[in-house]
Structures are given as structure tokens and as C-alpha cells.
Amino acid sequence: MSTIESVLHETRIFAPSTKFVEQANLADIEAYRALCAEAERDYPAFWSKLAQQHILWHKPFTRVLNDSEPPFFKWFEDGELNISYNCLDRHLANQPDKIAIIFEADNGDVNHCTYRELYQRVCQFANGLKALDIKKGDRIIIYMPMRIEAVIAMQACARIGAIHSVVFGGFSAKSLHERIVDAGAAAVITADEQTRGGKNHPLKATVDEALSMGDTDSVKSVVIYKHTGVDIAWQNNRDIWWHDLIHGKQGECAPEWVNAEHPLFTLYTSGSTGKPKGVQHSSAGYLLGTMISMQWVFDYKPTDIFWCTADVGWITGHSYVAYGPLAMGATQVIFEGIPTYPDAGRFWKIIQQHKVTTFYTAPTAIRSLIKLGADLPQQYDLSSLRLLGSVGEPINPEAWMWYYTVVGQSRCPIVDTWWQTETGCHMIAPIPGAIPLKPGSCTLPLPGISAAVVDEAGHDVELGKGGFLVIKRPFPSQIRTLWKDPARFKKTYFPEDICGGRYYLAGDSAHRDKEGYFWIMGRIDDVLNVSGHRLGTMEIESALVANPLVAEAAVVGKPHEIKGEAVVAFVVLKGQRPHGAQASEIAGTLREWVAREIGPIARPEEIRFGDNLPKTRSGKIMRRLLRSLAKGEEITQDTSTLENPAILEQLKQPVS
Ligand code: WT7
């Protein structure tokens, strides 16, 4: 059964235990409702109060929301602050020796870094960046392993007002190149290699390849963190070792005060066209979102050991590794490796060893761990856990129940958090002491977040009916624009033809049940969610047709037990349709080709060959049909408009 089908039958409810409620930051539904009512009563006053409570301002703001040029909203616009100051300096007075990061390497080595040490290391590196003549507003690409240095690089950029753009270490040279060019980056920060699951993978060599692809003159420096010590190619006057850059630099660096709306970072994400979108976030509004969600959704306590397993290459790793936990002064675990190395008990072992209290991961990881060892968690002491979290895709109730009973021992609420790269922080998620849970539902919007399910005209649909998921009012942590492309920003998120461009369109469909709980049904655009990562079908299609063998390609998703969704590619070759061993060989070549062009996460699960694709008489590819074929369903749709029905037979079977 697919996730969507199984959530439709879900009726169980799980209220938090008395013990959880007694310690919760927000302990009953009335407290939640009171906050929602406060936001309702005076929206600017609600956000203004939170922004004053949570953020340390260098210059206080006097204006809360400027909505004079929708959808380009500004929050706290005349205020000034520094994000790194808010994450580090603020803890120096009262808790300099508190551990900020417990780092566990792929090979199991553990290092601790206190707030004072982190502050010094960030300052040193920030001074290094300044020595490279990097200035406020410059864009810096970070292509790093999941190690403390990745966070240091991000925080150092924030400290000097440079705009970072982290590229996940699994992305290919071509994807990296695309992002470097779009950002017009002044520098790239990388490492010689990264290590995951006992294997080393090149990073610097990939940067070299990306920088040889043209249009990269903006890049003046490449900073390389020495991790594995492997030999790397070197370009004098451009390349510099991390350790040489910080050598002799001061452990103090005055923060660059920036305007509240100064871009903290851009982060690229897939959309319905072939070109990734550079989602641009603000400084103050973004930080506020990460802090209030730490407080509300993660019920943050100073005694917590917080662990978000996401890589800093994704928004989850930005908000709940690099910024939110540090701003709150939390102790957090950062893990370099993968859940299945050296065995499928790795996560549970880390929780036991570091006494993790709050554990936040993705449904795909949970499903793969169930498959590899459903009873493994019982071999570890997981009694430190008090709260579990899920993110990235709907969690199927079966995985939810296992997570709840086996990992959380029926003691820990699960916060199923719906949000996006564009929203910066959780939008719809339970406040765990206040809101009873239903497996597979992300429950209710956070206070101040006007999430709704509407029809094309923008009217709320009846409870139980599906519609577009929108957020009606602007909120502080939302995307400000797409880097250098305000027109695409407007068209994508505030399209005229849906709700008249008035509401933020999330790109998901959803429905609400009788109690108003939200159930996410999937994307409304040509975007797939593979293992919690967004992949544009067009991007994969472009990669396929870039191969000299391929004439035409169409990509769709099909339900997958572990990944949630898997990539299925229908391909027409320039020559004859291949058969037998030749077909398998070409399919293998094309799968690897896509992995190299985009990154291994985009590698198609299946490739099918046809003499043509199913098209209407006007030449439009019938994706609906392809989706049914990929799922192995009987074709019940109307195929009367199909020009070439015979090819459906050809496309039924995957190449073995
Ligand atoms: C898309 C956003 C937010 C960080 C990770 C992914 C899907 C995300 C959930 C959830 C159902 C979810 C949506 C959304 N999604 N969380 N809890 N339940 N669906 O960030 O790459 O920007 O993807 O992920 O489809 O639109 P992203």
C-alpha cells in the first residue's frame, strides 16, 4: 500500500504522556490556542514580541512587516543584527564551556567543541575569509563533508555578512558548476575528500572539474580543508589550505552588523523546470523561525542533547544544525556517516552513547532501518530519548508505529514536521505537549502560520476534501526571492491563476480531517520526493537527453518501499529500440550517466525503452499514462487521444 492510501485509513490518536506534559514548554491545547488567537488579534504585534524576545538586535527595529510590494515582503526591516553573534557571542557570558557540538566521525572518533571554542574557530576562519578579500554580500559556495568545519564555514560567512550557498556533497561537478555560476561565487570552501560508510569520495577534484566548465571567473579562491590527506591537484594563486588560511589569525572577529533583510544564504532546490532555484533567505526573519520552532516543536530545554541527522547541504541541516540549535545554546550531535555503517545499529548506538534526548530524522531512514533490523533498537539503551521527529515526506503509519513503539518505547511524542526549503522552518507540526498525534498527519499549523487548503479561486475547501496547500499571510522565515530571478519567484509561489497570486503556494496538495488536522497528499508539480529529497523530473530528463544515445525521455515517480518514491525513466533511443542484454547494458549506462550528471540521488531505479513515448495527437507526452505504467497498473484511463497506442505494450516492462 502506498503512504497516501494507508494514511487515508488512519484513525488512531496518541496524546502525550503526563510526564511529557509536565515538562513541556507548551503544555496544553489551550496554550496553543491562546498563541494562535494572539497572532490573530494583532499579527504584527505577535511577531514583534517574538522577535524582541528571541533575537539580540544591534539596532532595534521599529517597523515589523512591510507588505507594500507583495509578494516581496520585508520583516523588521530597519533592524540590524548579526546571525553569528546571535548563535555564538550570546553564549559566551553565561555558558562558554557548554558543549555546542558532539562530533562523531564516520569511523567512530568523537570530538567535543564548546561554545567558546566554536566561537574562536568561527572568528579565526572569518578572519581568514577577510584576508581573502571576501566581503559582505559576496557569495560563497560551501561543498563540504558533514563535519564541524561545515558549520564553521557557514557561521563565518554569516559573521562577515557573506552569503553562503551550501551544495550537498553528493551533487555532481555539473550541478556544482551550475550553482557556482548562478551565484557568481567569489570563493568555494571544500575539503580534499569526504568519508561516508567507510569509503572516501572526492570533493576537491569535483570542484576542480566544476571550475573547468567555464563562466567561473568570479571564483578567486578555493579553500580546502584537509580531511583524508589524499593527494589533490593544486592551482597556485587560487587554492589555499584551510589550516594555512587560519594560521596566525585572531580568535576574535568583530561581527558585521547587517540589515534584518540582508540575505543570510541561498540554497538551490529543484523545481518544475530544468534549472534549480536559488531560494534566498533573510537574516532576522529566518533566524526567528528556527528559534521559535526549536522552542515550540522541539520543546527545547537547555539540558537537551539534540540530534538532527540531516546534512547541512539541505535546509533541514541549515535550520536545525547550523543555526537553530546554536542560537538556542543547545548541545547537539553532528554525525559524519550513514545510518547503516558499520551496521544498521549505528543511529541507536549514537543515541545511547551520547544520551540523545531529541532525535530528528527522515521517514526513508526509518524505513530502511526497519528493513535491516526491526529489533535492533532493543539492543541499545534508548532511555535518554524524550522526543522524536520526522521530516521530508509523509511518514506512513506503519513506519510511524515502529518509530513510536520500538525507538520511542511509546514514551516519546513524534513531531511530524511539514515545511520546505522555502519556508525556512517548520510550518505545520505538532507542539508535542499540547497536540495529540495521528500517525501520518503533520497535525496543525504553528501559531501565526495561516496554512490552509484551498481551491483554485482561493476559497477554503470543505474538511475532508483535497486542495492546494497555501499559506495565506506572509511570515518572517519565508523565502524572499529566487536569486537574481524575482519574476520566477513570483510566478512559482504566487501564480496569478491560483488564488489570484494572493497566497504562498506550497506546491503540495493536502486535505484536512474533521479536527482540522492536515494530511499532505503529495506534490502538485513535476517534482518527485525521493528519500526526502526533491528532484525535478525535467532536470533528470535534460540529463538523459544530454546523452548522445538518447532521443527523448520522460521521467515519472513510482511508490517505493524505502525511498518513498523512485525515479522511472521512459527512454527513446536515437537508434533501434534495444532488446535483451543490450537493453540492460544501455540501461546501466544511462543510470550511471544520470548519477554523474546530477548526483547519485537522481539515479533512475528503472529504465524502459520504447520506439516512442505515449503522446496526444498534438504531441504532448501523456504523463498520467506513464505513471500508471510505472506503477504496473492496468491502463484504465481514456487512451482515445493517444496517437500511438501500440507503444504502451513496449513500455510495460522494466529492463531486467
Ligand atoms: C517538500 C519540501 C523541509 C525539509 C525537507 C525537505 C515534502 C516535507 C514533509 C512532511 C509530508 C513533507 C513536501 C514539501 N515534505 N516534510 N512532514 N510531510 N511531506 O525540504 O526539499 O524543500 O521539500 O517535502 O512535499 O513540499 P524540501
mmCIF file of all heavy atoms in Angstrom, residues 505-539:
data_model
loop_
_atom_site.group_PDB
_atom_site.id
_atom_site.type_symbol
_atom_site.label_atom_id
_atom_site.label_comp_id
_atom_site.label_asym_id
_atom_site.label_seq_id
_atom_site.Cartn_x
_atom_site.Cartn_y
_atom_site.Cartn_z
ATOM 1 N N LEU A 505 1.922 29.647 -2.446
ATOM 2 C CA LEU A 505 1.531 28.321 -2.916
ATOM 3 C C LEU A 505 2.684 27.351 -2.658
ATOM 4 O O LEU A 505 3.777 27.496 -3.215
ATOM 5 C CB LEU A 505 1.230 28.390 -4.412
ATOM 6 C CG LEU A 505 0.775 27.082 -5.055
ATOM 7 C CD1 LEU A 505 -0.648 26.728 -4.618
ATOM 8 C CD2 LEU A 505 0.842 27.186 -6.582
ATOM 9 N N ALA A 506 2.413 26.354 -1.817
ATOM 10 C CA ALA A 506 3.497 25.465 -1.380
ATOM 11 C C ALA A 506 3.905 24.460 -2.454
ATOM 12 O O ALA A 506 5.027 23.973 -2.450
ATOM 13 C CB ALA A 506 3.071 24.726 -0.117
ATOM 14 N N GLY A 507 2.966 24.121 -3.354
ATOM 15 C CA GLY A 507 3.289 23.092 -4.352
ATOM 16 C C GLY A 507 2.892 21.707 -3.903
ATOM 17 O O GLY A 507 3.168 20.725 -4.581
ATOM 18 N N ASP A 508 2.235 21.606 -2.756
ATOM 19 C CA ASP A 508 1.726 20.314 -2.269
ATOM 20 C C ASP A 508 0.211 20.329 -2.314
ATOM 21 O O ASP A 508 -0.410 21.390 -2.213
ATOM 22 C CB ASP A 508 2.130 20.090 -0.800
ATOM 23 C CG ASP A 508 3.584 19.681 -0.656
ATOM 24 O OD1 ASP A 508 4.120 19.081 -1.596
ATOM 25 O OD2 ASP A 508 4.176 19.953 0.399
ATOM 26 N N SER A 509 -0.384 19.133 -2.422
ATOM 27 C CA SER A 509 -1.816 19.031 -2.197
ATOM 28 C C SER A 509 -2.014 18.448 -0.807
ATOM 29 O O SER A 509 -1.134 17.757 -0.286
ATOM 30 C CB SER A 509 -2.473 18.163 -3.254
ATOM 31 O OG SER A 509 -1.954 16.861 -3.166
ATOM 32 N N ALA A 510 -3.152 18.756 -0.219
ATOM 33 C CA ALA A 510 -3.400 18.310 1.153
ATOM 34 C C ALA A 510 -4.893 18.257 1.395
ATOM 35 O O ALA A 510 -5.682 18.775 0.593
ATOM 36 C CB ALA A 510 -2.762 19.284 2.135
ATOM 37 N N HIS A 511 -5.295 17.607 2.478
ATOM 38 C CA HIS A 511 -6.664 17.768 2.959
ATOM 39 C C HIS A 511 -6.640 17.857 4.468
ATOM 40 O O HIS A 511 -5.624 17.549 5.091
ATOM 41 C CB HIS A 511 -7.575 16.630 2.468
ATOM 42 C CG HIS A 511 -7.388 15.335 3.200
ATOM 43 N ND1 HIS A 511 -6.506 14.363 2.786
ATOM 44 C CD2 HIS A 511 -7.957 14.862 4.331
ATOM 45 C CE1 HIS A 511 -6.548 13.344 3.626
ATOM 46 N NE2 HIS A 511 -7.413 13.618 4.579
ATOM 47 N N ARG A 512 -7.747 18.314 5.035
ATOM 48 C CA ARG A 512 -7.846 18.388 6.494
ATOM 49 C C ARG A 512 -8.972 17.472 6.943
ATOM 50 O O ARG A 512 -9.978 17.340 6.257
ATOM 51 C CB ARG A 512 -8.137 19.828 6.924
ATOM 52 C CG ARG A 512 -7.024 20.776 6.500
ATOM 53 C CD ARG A 512 -7.406 22.216 6.771
ATOM 54 N NE ARG A 512 -7.457 22.448 8.213
ATOM 55 C CZ ARG A 512 -7.930 23.564 8.773
ATOM 56 N NH1 ARG A 512 -8.421 24.517 8.016
ATOM 57 N NH2 ARG A 512 -7.923 23.709 10.071
ATOM 58 N N ASP A 513 -8.779 16.863 8.109
ATOM 59 C CA ASP A 513 -9.828 15.958 8.596
ATOM 60 C C ASP A 513 -10.805 16.724 9.500
ATOM 61 O O ASP A 513 -10.715 17.941 9.631
ATOM 62 C CB ASP A 513 -9.209 14.728 9.278
ATOM 63 C CG ASP A 513 -8.444 15.081 10.556
ATOM 64 O OD1 ASP A 513 -8.657 16.202 11.102
ATOM 65 O OD2 ASP A 513 -7.638 14.256 11.010
ATOM 66 N N LYS A 514 -11.690 15.988 10.143
ATOM 67 C CA LYS A 514 -12.754 16.623 10.952
ATOM 68 C C LYS A 514 -12.209 17.558 12.025
ATOM 69 O O LYS A 514 -12.803 18.558 12.362
ATOM 70 C CB LYS A 514 -13.588 15.541 11.661
ATOM 71 C CG LYS A 514 -14.458 14.715 10.753
ATOM 72 C CD LYS A 514 -15.507 13.940 11.552
ATOM 73 C CE LYS A 514 -14.919 12.921 12.532
ATOM 74 N NZ LYS A 514 -14.194 11.802 11.931
ATOM 75 N N GLU A 515 -11.062 17.172 12.590
ATOM 76 C CA GLU A 515 -10.469 18.014 13.645
ATOM 77 C C GLU A 515 -9.574 19.107 13.067
ATOM 78 O O GLU A 515 -8.884 19.797 13.812
ATOM 79 C CB GLU A 515 -9.642 17.170 14.617
ATOM 80 C CG GLU A 515 -10.457 16.418 15.662
ATOM 81 C CD GLU A 515 -10.965 15.086 15.149
ATOM 82 O OE1 GLU A 515 -10.266 14.481 14.312
ATOM 83 O OE2 GLU A 515 -12.056 14.665 15.560
ATOM 84 N N GLY A 516 -9.553 19.212 11.757
ATOM 85 C CA GLY A 516 -8.730 20.246 11.139
ATOM 86 C C GLY A 516 -7.278 19.843 10.954
ATOM 87 O O GLY A 516 -6.458 20.655 10.522
ATOM 88 N N TYR A 517 -6.959 18.600 11.262
ATOM 89 C CA TYR A 517 -5.577 18.135 11.075
ATOM 90 C C TYR A 517 -5.227 18.097 9.592
ATOM 91 O O TYR A 517 -6.059 17.730 8.758
ATOM 92 C CB TYR A 517 -5.401 16.723 11.655
ATOM 93 C CG TYR A 517 -5.142 16.688 13.147
ATOM 94 C CD1 TYR A 517 -5.906 17.455 14.024
ATOM 95 C CD2 TYR A 517 -4.141 15.870 13.677
ATOM 96 C CE1 TYR A 517 -5.664 17.412 15.389
ATOM 97 C CE2 TYR A 517 -3.903 15.818 15.046
ATOM 98 C CZ TYR A 517 -4.665 16.593 15.895
ATOM 99 O OH TYR A 517 -4.429 16.548 17.235
ATOM 100 N N PHE A 518 -3.990 18.441 9.274
ATOM 101 C CA PHE A 518 -3.520 18.454 7.886
ATOM 102 C C PHE A 518 -2.907 17.104 7.524
ATOM 103 O O PHE A 518 -2.141 16.531 8.309
ATOM 104 C CB PHE A 518 -2.461 19.548 7.677
ATOM 105 C CG PHE A 518 -3.025 20.932 7.609
ATOM 106 C CD1 PHE A 518 -3.532 21.551 8.752
ATOM 107 C CD2 PHE A 518 -3.048 21.628 6.410
ATOM 108 C CE1 PHE A 518 -4.050 22.839 8.688
ATOM 109 C CE2 PHE A 518 -3.568 22.918 6.340
ATOM 110 C CZ PHE A 518 -4.067 23.524 7.479
ATOM 111 N N TRP A 519 -3.237 16.638 6.320
ATOM 112 C CA TRP A 519 -2.650 15.416 5.753
ATOM 113 C C TRP A 519 -2.092 15.799 4.393
ATOM 114 O O TRP A 519 -2.836 16.243 3.519
ATOM 115 C CB TRP A 519 -3.721 14.326 5.613
ATOM 116 C CG TRP A 519 -4.362 13.952 6.926
ATOM 117 C CD1 TRP A 519 -5.334 14.632 7.598
ATOM 118 C CD2 TRP A 519 -4.046 12.804 7.731
ATOM 119 N NE1 TRP A 519 -5.640 13.980 8.771
ATOM 120 C CE2 TRP A 519 -4.869 12.856 8.875
ATOM 121 C CE3 TRP A 519 -3.149 11.732 7.591
ATOM 122 C CZ2 TRP A 519 -4.821 11.883 9.879
ATOM 123 C CZ3 TRP A 519 -3.112 10.758 8.585
ATOM 124 C CH2 TRP A 519 -3.935 10.841 9.714
ATOM 125 N N ILE A 520 -0.797 15.647 4.230
ATOM 126 C CA ILE A 520 -0.150 16.041 2.975
ATOM 127 C C ILE A 520 -0.293 14.890 1.979
ATOM 128 O O ILE A 520 0.012 13.751 2.303
ATOM 129 C CB ILE A 520 1.353 16.337 3.199
ATOM 130 C CG1 ILE A 520 1.556 17.331 4.354
ATOM 131 C CG2 ILE A 520 2.015 16.833 1.906
ATOM 132 C CD1 ILE A 520 0.996 18.696 4.160
ATOM 133 N N MET A 521 -0.763 15.226 0.770
ATOM 134 C CA MET A 521 -1.041 14.177 -0.213
ATOM 135 C C MET A 521 0.027 14.044 -1.297
ATOM 136 O O MET A 521 0.012 13.096 -2.061
ATOM 137 C CB MET A 521 -2.396 14.433 -0.892
ATOM 138 C CG MET A 521 -3.540 14.733 0.056
ATOM 139 S SD MET A 521 -3.775 13.448 1.303
ATOM 140 C CE MET A 521 -4.398 12.126 0.304
ATOM 141 N N GLY A 522 0.913 15.010 -1.431
ATOM 142 C CA GLY A 522 1.959 14.905 -2.460
ATOM 143 C C GLY A 522 2.071 16.185 -3.252
ATOM 144 O O GLY A 522 1.303 17.125 -3.049
ATOM 145 N N ARG A 523 3.027 16.220 -4.170
ATOM 146 C CA ARG A 523 3.287 17.438 -4.921
ATOM 147 C C ARG A 523 2.254 17.629 -6.026
ATOM 148 O O ARG A 523 1.725 16.661 -6.561
ATOM 149 C CB ARG A 523 4.685 17.362 -5.566
ATOM 150 C CG ARG A 523 5.835 17.185 -4.599
ATOM 151 C CD ARG A 523 6.226 18.429 -3.878
ATOM 152 N NE ARG A 523 6.450 19.562 -4.770
ATOM 153 C CZ ARG A 523 6.819 20.768 -4.321
ATOM 154 N NH1 ARG A 523 6.989 20.983 -3.030
ATOM 155 N NH2 ARG A 523 7.010 21.747 -5.166
ATOM 156 N N ILE A 524 2.023 18.896 -6.378
ATOM 157 C CA ILE A 524 1.112 19.168 -7.488
ATOM 158 C C ILE A 524 1.888 19.454 -8.766
ATOM 159 O O ILE A 524 1.326 19.652 -9.818
ATOM 160 C CB ILE A 524 0.190 20.373 -7.189
ATOM 161 C CG1 ILE A 524 1.015 21.616 -6.828
ATOM 162 C CG2 ILE A 524 -0.774 20.041 -6.076
ATOM 163 C CD1 ILE A 524 0.204 22.896 -6.779
ATOM 164 N N ASP A 525 3.226 19.528 -8.651
ATOM 165 C CA ASP A 525 4.028 19.844 -9.834
ATOM 166 C C ASP A 525 4.848 18.616 -10.249
ATOM 167 O O ASP A 525 4.711 17.553 -9.672
ATOM 168 C CB ASP A 525 4.942 21.039 -9.549
ATOM 169 C CG ASP A 525 5.708 20.867 -8.237
ATOM 170 O OD1 ASP A 525 5.704 19.750 -7.673
ATOM 171 O OD2 ASP A 525 6.309 21.851 -7.782
ATOM 172 N N ASP A 526 5.705 18.783 -11.233
ATOM 173 C CA ASP A 526 6.505 17.655 -11.701
ATOM 174 C C ASP A 526 7.763 17.505 -10.863
ATOM 175 O O ASP A 526 8.875 17.491 -11.368
ATOM 176 C CB ASP A 526 6.861 17.838 -13.174
ATOM 177 C CG ASP A 526 5.636 17.671 -14.046
ATOM 178 O OD1 ASP A 526 4.804 16.804 -13.710
ATOM 179 O OD2 ASP A 526 5.498 18.409 -15.029
ATOM 180 N N VAL A 527 7.558 17.432 -9.571
ATOM 181 C CA VAL A 527 8.681 17.269 -8.661
ATOM 182 C C VAL A 527 8.489 15.953 -7.910
ATOM 183 O O VAL A 527 7.387 15.655 -7.450
ATOM 184 C CB VAL A 527 8.753 18.465 -7.675
ATOM 185 C CG1 VAL A 527 9.767 18.209 -6.574
ATOM 186 C CG2 VAL A 527 9.109 19.745 -8.421
ATOM 187 N N LEU A 528 9.556 15.167 -7.842
ATOM 188 C CA LEU A 528 9.477 13.889 -7.118
ATOM 189 C C LEU A 528 10.098 14.064 -5.741
ATOM 190 O O LEU A 528 10.924 14.950 -5.524
ATOM 191 C CB LEU A 528 10.252 12.803 -7.876
ATOM 192 C CG LEU A 528 9.898 12.616 -9.349
ATOM 193 C CD1 LEU A 528 10.713 11.468 -9.934
ATOM 194 C CD2 LEU A 528 8.411 12.338 -9.498
ATOM 195 N N ASN A 529 9.686 13.206 -4.819
ATOM 196 C CA ASN A 529 10.296 13.215 -3.497
ATOM 197 C C ASN A 529 10.943 11.850 -3.286
ATOM 198 O O ASN A 529 10.294 10.877 -2.955
ATOM 199 C CB ASN A 529 9.239 13.506 -2.435
ATOM 200 C CG ASN A 529 9.873 13.737 -1.069
ATOM 201 O OD1 ASN A 529 10.901 13.133 -0.733
ATOM 202 N ND2 ASN A 529 9.275 14.595 -0.275
ATOM 203 N N VAL A 530 12.244 11.793 -3.535
ATOM 204 C CA VAL A 530 12.979 10.539 -3.445
ATOM 205 C C VAL A 530 13.824 10.584 -2.175
ATOM 206 O O VAL A 530 14.687 11.450 -2.041
ATOM 207 C CB VAL A 530 13.878 10.328 -4.688
ATOM 208 C CG1 VAL A 530 14.673 9.038 -4.569
ATOM 209 C CG2 VAL A 530 13.040 10.324 -5.955
ATOM 210 N N SER A 531 13.544 9.696 -1.263
ATOM 211 C CA SER A 531 14.242 9.653 0.029
ATOM 212 C C SER A 531 14.243 11.023 0.708
ATOM 213 O O SER A 531 15.243 11.441 1.281
ATOM 214 C CB SER A 531 15.694 9.176 -0.151
ATOM 215 O OG SER A 531 15.709 7.911 -0.729
ATOM 216 N N GLY A 532 13.125 11.716 0.622
ATOM 217 C CA GLY A 532 13.015 13.016 1.284
ATOM 218 C C GLY A 532 13.696 14.149 0.540
ATOM 219 O O GLY A 532 13.736 15.270 1.017
ATOM 220 N N HIS A 533 14.229 13.860 -0.650
ATOM 221 C CA HIS A 533 14.875 14.914 -1.431
ATOM 222 C C HIS A 533 14.055 15.229 -2.658
ATOM 223 O O HIS A 533 13.523 14.357 -3.323
ATOM 224 C CB HIS A 533 16.288 14.508 -1.842
ATOM 225 C CG HIS A 533 17.159 14.216 -0.675
ATOM 226 N ND1 HIS A 533 17.279 15.086 0.378
ATOM 227 C CD2 HIS A 533 17.909 13.139 -0.364
ATOM 228 C CE1 HIS A 533 18.087 14.567 1.277
ATOM 229 N NE2 HIS A 533 18.478 13.386 0.860
ATOM 230 N N ARG A 534 14.006 16.509 -2.951
ATOM 231 C CA ARG A 534 13.209 16.965 -4.072
ATOM 232 C C ARG A 534 13.991 16.827 -5.363
ATOM 233 O O ARG A 534 15.118 17.298 -5.458
ATOM 234 C CB ARG A 534 12.942 18.440 -3.848
ATOM 235 C CG ARG A 534 11.485 18.748 -3.773
ATOM 236 C CD ARG A 534 11.308 20.166 -4.072
ATOM 237 N NE ARG A 534 11.269 20.955 -2.855
ATOM 238 C CZ ARG A 534 11.025 22.258 -2.881
ATOM 239 N NH1 ARG A 534 10.827 22.879 -4.027
ATOM 240 N NH2 ARG A 534 10.988 22.940 -1.781
ATOM 241 N N LEU A 535 13.386 16.209 -6.352
ATOM 242 C CA LEU A 535 14.041 16.079 -7.652
ATOM 243 C C LEU A 535 13.062 16.505 -8.741
ATOM 244 O O LEU A 535 11.933 16.024 -8.786
ATOM 245 C CB LEU A 535 14.426 14.621 -7.901
ATOM 246 C CG LEU A 535 15.577 14.033 -7.092
ATOM 247 C CD1 LEU A 535 15.677 12.539 -7.371
ATOM 248 C CD2 LEU A 535 16.882 14.718 -7.467
ATOM 249 N N GLY A 536 13.514 17.378 -9.611
ATOM 250 C CA GLY A 536 12.657 17.811 -10.712
ATOM 251 C C GLY A 536 12.727 16.787 -11.839
ATOM 252 O O GLY A 536 13.824 16.395 -12.242
ATOM 253 N N THR A 537 11.568 16.368 -12.348
ATOM 254 C CA THR A 537 11.591 15.385 -13.437
ATOM 255 C C THR A 537 12.278 15.970 -14.677
ATOM 256 O O THR A 537 13.001 15.279 -15.375
ATOM 257 C CB THR A 537 10.163 14.931 -13.821
ATOM 258 O OG1 THR A 537 9.382 16.096 -14.041
ATOM 259 C CG2 THR A 537 9.534 14.105 -12.724
ATOM 260 N N MET A 538 12.077 17.263 -14.894
ATOM 261 C CA MET A 538 12.702 17.918 -16.053
ATOM 262 C C MET A 538 14.223 17.877 -15.989
ATOM 263 O O MET A 538 14.895 17.762 -17.005
ATOM 264 C CB MET A 538 12.275 19.387 -16.102
ATOM 265 C CG MET A 538 10.970 19.611 -16.795
ATOM 266 S SD MET A 538 11.217 19.925 -18.536
ATOM 267 C CE MET A 538 11.622 21.672 -18.515
ATOM 268 N N GLU A 539 14.739 18.031 -14.766
ATOM 269 C CA GLU A 539 16.191 18.007 -14.592
ATOM 270 C C GLU A 539 16.747 16.651 -15.024
ATOM 271 O O GLU A 539 17.778 16.571 -15.689
ATOM 272 C CB GLU A 539 16.497 18.183 -13.104
ATOM 273 C CG GLU A 539 17.168 19.453 -12.734
ATOM 274 C CD GLU A 539 17.323 19.548 -11.224
ATOM 275 O OE1 GLU A 539 16.281 19.646 -10.542
ATOM 276 O OE2 GLU A 539 18.470 19.504 -10.741
#
